[in-house]
Amino acid sequence: MSTTFTLDTATSRANPTPQPMRRLTVPKIRARKSDGVTQEPVVMLTAYTARQAQLLDPHCDMLLVGDSLGQVIYGLPSTIPVTMEMMANHAAAVVRGSYHAVVVVDMPFGAYEASPETAFAAAARLLKESGAAAVKLEGGEAMAETVAFMTQRGIPVMGHVGLTPQAVNVLGGYAARGRSDAEADKIVGDAKALDEAEAFAIVVEGVLEPIAIAITQGVSCPTIGIGASAQCDGQVLVTEDMLGMFERVPRFVKKYHDIGSIIEETAATYAREVRERSFPGPDQLYQPKG
């Protein structure tokens, strides 16, 4: 018996699947890299809402519900205060707004560090409540046992090495990592430990380019660069950063547009028209017939 999907535009602006389609899977992302070679770079952007996911989904292989939502959506000073409830709710919205990309959700600070068992319980909750396909966690060799524990029990895990924002209080800021030989060796070792623990991909953030290249060449799973190297197996950016929603962004961000200025100019035009009583106009009003 076949199933036909139809649109129901009356119920939501974020329409359901427009046609029968199979969503990409974690194994398909992992298989992009074989024998150290990536056939097609992996495209990933962050998404926090259903509508944002709907717009990004046709162009992305993965959508990351990042804990960066703490700063981007909630105006928090860092990712540290982000809660499980925030991550689960936003991830569920992104799943509802997408039908093609693999949805990955960040595990918030404090949800996975204590033990593999704690991490598994938190990840299982996130996947159950959101419908996401995988989780991402920060940390290298210290988290390898946890990654292995989770993957062996059916939870796909994406790793994250280099500049790890949840460790900002230990690192002392958001500067690029790997400027000393010892630190560079540690970052490469961290990535290899996650690879051996069967992470299906590894985000490499804010490191000197030779480190990112060494990691990409040294691990079997795809690497996803952000402030790393074009030689990584894929790339990710915070969507609001690359759209130009904020004046200040990290050095590694390329602003592809200036949406912030467009929004500000549009709001100014709206405000002017309201004050001069030219909005609403005839096209926006209901008039009696006859």
Side-chain angles (χ1 to χ4, degrees):
M1 179 178 178
S2 63
T3 301
T4 301
F5 295 87
T6 59
L7 290 177
D8 183 1
T9 56
T11 58
S12 173
R13 286 191 176 94
N15 294 325
T17 307
Q19 61 185 17
M21 177 174 285
R22 289 183 179 274
R23 189 186 289 270
L24 285 173
T25 64
V26 166
K28 286 184 177 180
I29 296 297
R30 177 64 183 82
R32 288 280 182 94
K33 187 173 184 177
S34 178
D35 296 327
V37 178
T38 299
Q39 302 301 323
E40 181 182 358
V42 179
V43 178
M44 183 162 72
L45 284 170
T46 61
Y48 314 118
T49 67
R51 179 54 178 161
Q52 188 180 43
Q54 188 182 29
L55 294 171
L56 302 177
D57 185 59
H59 311 287
C60 293
D61 303 307
M62 292 193 286
L63 292 175
L64 173 63
V65 188
D67 58 359
S68 50
L69 64 82
Q71 294 145 304
V72 174
I73 301 294
Y74 292 94
L76 296 171
S78 72
T79 61
I80 302 300
V82 171
T83 66
M84 285 283 289
E85 288 72 20
M86 290 178 184
M87 297 310 304
N89 289 337
H90 285 275
V94 170
V95 170
R96 289 193 294 269
S98 62
Y99 57 87
H100 168 256
V102 173
V103 178
V104 182
V105 55
D106 262 338
M107 298 189 71
F109 177 73
Y112 59 93
E113 296 88 344
S115 69
E117 292 79 7
T118 299
F120 176 84
R125 175 188 168 186
L126 281 177
L127 298 192
K128 283 183 177 181
E129 294 185 8
S130 69
V135 298
K136 181 173 78 66
L137 54 76
E138 296 182 8
E141 187 175 358
M143 297 309 304
E145 179 185 356
T146 294
V147 171
F149 186 92
M150 293 165 66
T151 56
Q152 291 166 7
R153 288 159 178 78
I155 296 181
V157 181
M158 176 181 287
H160 185 154
V161 300
L163 173 57
T164 48
Q166 291 181 5
V168 63
N169 291 325
V170 173
L171 298 177
Y174 296 99
R177 316 308 300 177
R179 295 193 179 278
S180 70
D181 290 343
E183 187 177 46
D185 290 343
K186 182 181 185 306
I187 294 171
V188 174
D190 283 340
K192 290 182 177 180
L194 293 175
D195 186 41
E196 292 171 1
E198 299 297 326
F200 77 92
I202 301 172
V203 170
V204 182
E205 179 173 0
V207 301
L208 302 188
E209 185 177 28
I211 298 173
I213 294 174
I215 291 173
T216 300
Q217 294 175 346
V219 300
S220 63
C221 67
T223 57
I224 311 297
I226 175 169
S229 172
Q231 299 306 309
C232 289
D233 303 305
Q235 301 293 327
V236 63
L237 282 175
V238 172
T239 299
E240 283 77 0
D241 285 346
M242 71 99 166
L243 289 178
M245 289 288 288
F246 300 103
E247 292 182 6
R248 296 181 61 187
V249 296
R251 174 180 175 176
F252 54 72
V253 173
K254 177 179 178 179
K255 287 188 178 183
Y256 285 82
H257 221 301
D258 189 10
I259 299 298
S261 293
I262 294 174
I263 293 173
E264 190 172 11
E265 292 169 5
T266 303
T269 300
Y270 167 75
R272 186 185 69 252
E273 291 184 359
V274 169
R275 293 182 178 117
E276 67 187 17
R277 297 188 184 278
S278 63
F279 174 84
D283 292 342
Q284 291 86 43
L285 297 175
Y286 300 98
Q287 300 291 351
K289 294 182 180 180

